Amino acid sequence: MSILRNTPTSPLPEFEYAIDVAVIGAGACGLTAALAARDAGADVLVFERDKRPWGSTSMSLGAVCGVGSKEQQRHGIDDSAAAFVADVMAKTEQRADVRLARLIGERSGGVLDWLNETHQVPLLLDAKWTGLGHSSRRLHIPPGRNGEELLALLLNACARAGAEVVTEATVTALYADEDNRVVGLRVERPGGVIENIGCGAVVLATCGFGGNESMIAEHIPEMRHARYFGHEGNRGDGILWGLALGAAAADMTAYQGLGTLADPQQIVVPHPLMIEGGFLVNIEGKRFTHELANISGMCVPVLKQPEGRAWVIFDEPRHRACLEHSVEQRQLAEVGAIKRAEDWATLEQLCGLPAGSLAAENAAIDSARAADREDHLGRSFKDLAPLKPPFCAVRVTGALFHTQGGLCINEQAQVVRADESPLPNLYAGGGAARSISGPAVTGYLPAVGLSMAITLGAIAGHSAAAHRISA
């Protein structure tokens, strides 16, 4: 990945054709940017390196947090940008970019309404993920409750809008002039075919750098040897291009982790199992953390346990309820990842846990619940029904899912330098841009990743359309 400039010995090539807006990456951010650019009257091409769009969007639960949406209003939820900003700043210990948090709070709900009403991308208010740092119900999810469906809805919307997605098209270089204005792209196609394409503006929607081992070692060394559960193509290309053009980056130490990745099946165990009363134990059969204190940061205490493994403990009623709304739960059942037993002693044997360990931990939870107090880890199980047989367990480990640091942007999603002056025609969103999780894993709020992708994608696409060369 490089920046190529016009020099006497290496002049810029003649471009085969030119487009108004070039979007690099066909995830939620890139596809939303393409829709916004088309709505603003620009011609747009989305360049995707894979044979079919996939990436972090498809690997996610498809949940997007949105503030002030018509879905919230329909359910009688009184939310506000100020409340969202307060939640973000509290979760990040006042270390997030407050201006960026305010931008997401002010624009996210309207973007979700626009996707639904203009482009038939429905995102419905979700009741399964509540709390966890959010003071209001603001998570929106597609009807099928998974990221693959969200990506399919966006792809179909792009097809209807005339925003073409070109697959197996790897952008290997950006062409820039002496003012760091991007004037074109070098695109490699199958068979070694190279295309040089001019452009009016570029939207970087290449996601983060979780698949780049050297960048992880540099910025997030504590996760250098952790399992990576993300798309291999997330190599930080957009961030590196921005830096090469003089952009600033921030919060590169931040990331979204997973503490409940089924081991060895590599399927995310749905967190509603624990929200609704399940718990975690290590391989010694002991609880070791408040399961709901930090969803993203759960990877840290899990990885610190013996062998870096733990067990999610729940029961058959919670399993059945989860099957109704979770693709992942159905997958866990299909591959035989769920162990079941009619009593604690048998489940302990099946999981290789010390005799009496699960029974003791469950009894301690029941005792705290009966006394209407928090348990020794600070968790309350009030109003949650006790577990009852058959009891269930899934073995899990911790993993890195998504990096949260990236290029600094302004309120137009335009990439900026350290002095906050903007680069001429470069925009970024999603994992290529700085998020609002602060500098650490503990600052991530559920569904913020896709909210950043979709909201900034919409802003970036609309802003980039102002540079259309056909105007």
Side-chain angles (χ1 to χ4, degrees):
M1 301 298 156
S2 59
I3 303 295
L4 302 179
R5 302 179 188 275
N6 190 37
T7 67
T9 57
S10 181
L12 292 181
E14 290 189 11
F15 297 126
E16 299 173 34
Y17 59 92
I19 54 175
D20 294 334
V21 177
V23 178
I24 308 176
C29 178
L31 298 176
T32 306
L35 290 172
R38 285 295 294 149
D39 279 9
D43 291 327
V44 59
L45 279 180
V46 182
F47 298 93
E48 169 58 46
R49 71 166 63 196
D50 291 342
K51 194 169 185 177
R52 70 181 180 96
W54 182 251
S56 297
T57 299
S58 289
M59 298 179 74
S60 75
L61 297 176
V64 185
C65 68
V67 181
S69 70
K70 291 182 180 179
E71 266 291 289
Q72 282 188 313
Q73 296 168 20
R74 186 169 69 86
H75 287 271
I77 294 172
D78 183 18
D79 200 4
S80 69
F84 177 74
V85 171
D87 290 346
V88 169
M89 301 312 291
K91 194 72 166 63
T92 62
E93 299 178 335
Q94 309 302 314
R95 295 184 291 177
D97 182 338
V98 66
R99 291 180 300 176
L100 189 54
R102 187 176 299 113
L103 179 67
I104 300 303
E106 292 172 346
R107 301 289 294 276
S108 56
V111 168
L112 296 185
D113 294 341
W114 162 71
L115 283 175
N116 181 22
E117 295 170 358
T118 304
H119 293 290
Q120 294 79 59
V121 180
L123 287 158
L124 310 176
L125 199 68
D126 179 56
K128 293 296 180 181
W129 284 73
T130 57
L132 306 175
H134 289 290
S135 59
S136 292
R137 284 175 55 197
R138 56 173 70 109
L139 271 65
H140 299 66
I141 202 160
R145 306 181 66 84
N146 65 85
E148 289 184 53
E149 182 189 26
L150 174 59
L151 191 66
L153 288 167
L154 289 168
L155 284 166
N156 289 338
C158 283
R160 289 191 297 267
E164 185 176 357
V165 178
V166 185
T167 58
E168 295 185 282
T170 302
V171 179
T172 58
L174 302 183
Y175 296 109
D177 64 17
E178 62 275 8
D179 296 321
N180 286 324
R181 178 183 298 275
V182 180
V183 296
L185 308 85
R186 185 177 70 186
V187 181
E188 185 170 337
R189 304 298 304 278
V193 175
I194 303 295
E195 296 179 344
N196 295 306
I197 302 167
C199 64
V202 170
V203 177
L204 299 173
T206 54
C207 210
F209 57 92
N212 187 322
E213 293 182 3
S214 63
M215 290 183 74
I216 292 296
E218 177 183 357
H219 299 292
I220 314 175
E222 70 269 24
M223 297 300 286
R224 182 177 184 178
H225 301 296
R227 191 173 302 182
Y228 173 53
F229 183 71
H231 191 265
E232 294 178 358
N234 295 349
R235 302 191 56 80
D237 297 338
I239 298 172
L240 295 174
W241 276 319
L243 293 174
L245 288 166
D251 293 335
M252 295 292 282
T253 52
Y255 62 97
Q256 178 187 357
L258 292 169
T260 56
L261 182 66
D263 178 49
Q265 294 87 2
Q266 297 257 93
I267 300 169
V268 179
V269 178
H271 221 78
L273 291 171
M274 286 183 290
I275 293 173
E276 295 167 9
F279 59 91
L280 274 172
V281 299
N282 60 20
I283 62 171
E284 296 172 348
K286 299 177 181 178
R287 285 183 66 212
F288 54 89
T289 190
H290 183 326
E291 292 85 356
L292 307 184
N294 197 297
I295 299 301
S296 172
M298 189 63 64
C299 63
V300 176
V302 168
L303 288 171
K304 286 182 178 179
Q305 300 310 301
E307 299 183 9
R309 293 188 175 94
W311 290 88
V312 178
I313 308 299
F314 51 104
D315 63 5
E316 189 69 16
R318 287 165 175 82
H319 165 63
R320 292 295 175 189
C322 199
L323 281 177
E324 296 178 2
H325 62 80
S326 172
V327 172
E328 289 77 16
Q329 191 71 8
R330 292 193 287 272
Q331 292 172 337
L332 289 168
E334 289 168 1
V335 301
I338 302 172
K339 297 185 182 295
R340 290 182 178 81
E342 291 295 330
D343 55 69
W344 290 119
T346 304
L347 190 63
E348 290 159 357
Q349 292 176 346
L350 289 174
C351 299
L353 299 173
S357 58
L358 292 180
E361 292 292 358
N362 186 66
I365 291 171
D366 285 345
S367 176
R369 177 173 26 233
D372 194 17
R373 60 173 172 80
E374 294 180 344
D375 64 19
H376 70 288
L377 294 169
R379 180 178 174 186
S380 172
F381 286 81
K382 182 181 179 181
D383 300 326
L384 296 173
L387 301 188
K388 60 182 182 180
F391 302 117
C392 305
V394 177
R395 191 174 72 176
V396 297
T397 188
L400 168 66
F401 181 48
H402 196 295
T403 56
Q404 293 290 300
L407 300 172
C408 295
I409 58 171
N410 60 21
E411 291 186 352
Q412 288 73 48
Q414 192 167 10
V415 178
V416 300
R417 304 177 179 90
D419 63 2
E420 298 192 357
S421 63
L423 290 171
N425 63 340
L426 189 66
Y427 298 83
R434 178 190 191 183
S435 189
I436 52 175
S437 297
V441 65
T442 53
Y444 183 81
L445 280 164
V448 156
L450 277 175
S451 184
M452 298 294 294
I454 283 176
T455 307
L456 292 181
I459 296 171
H462 184 270
S463 300
H467 300 271
R468 59 186 184 273
I469 54 183
S470 57

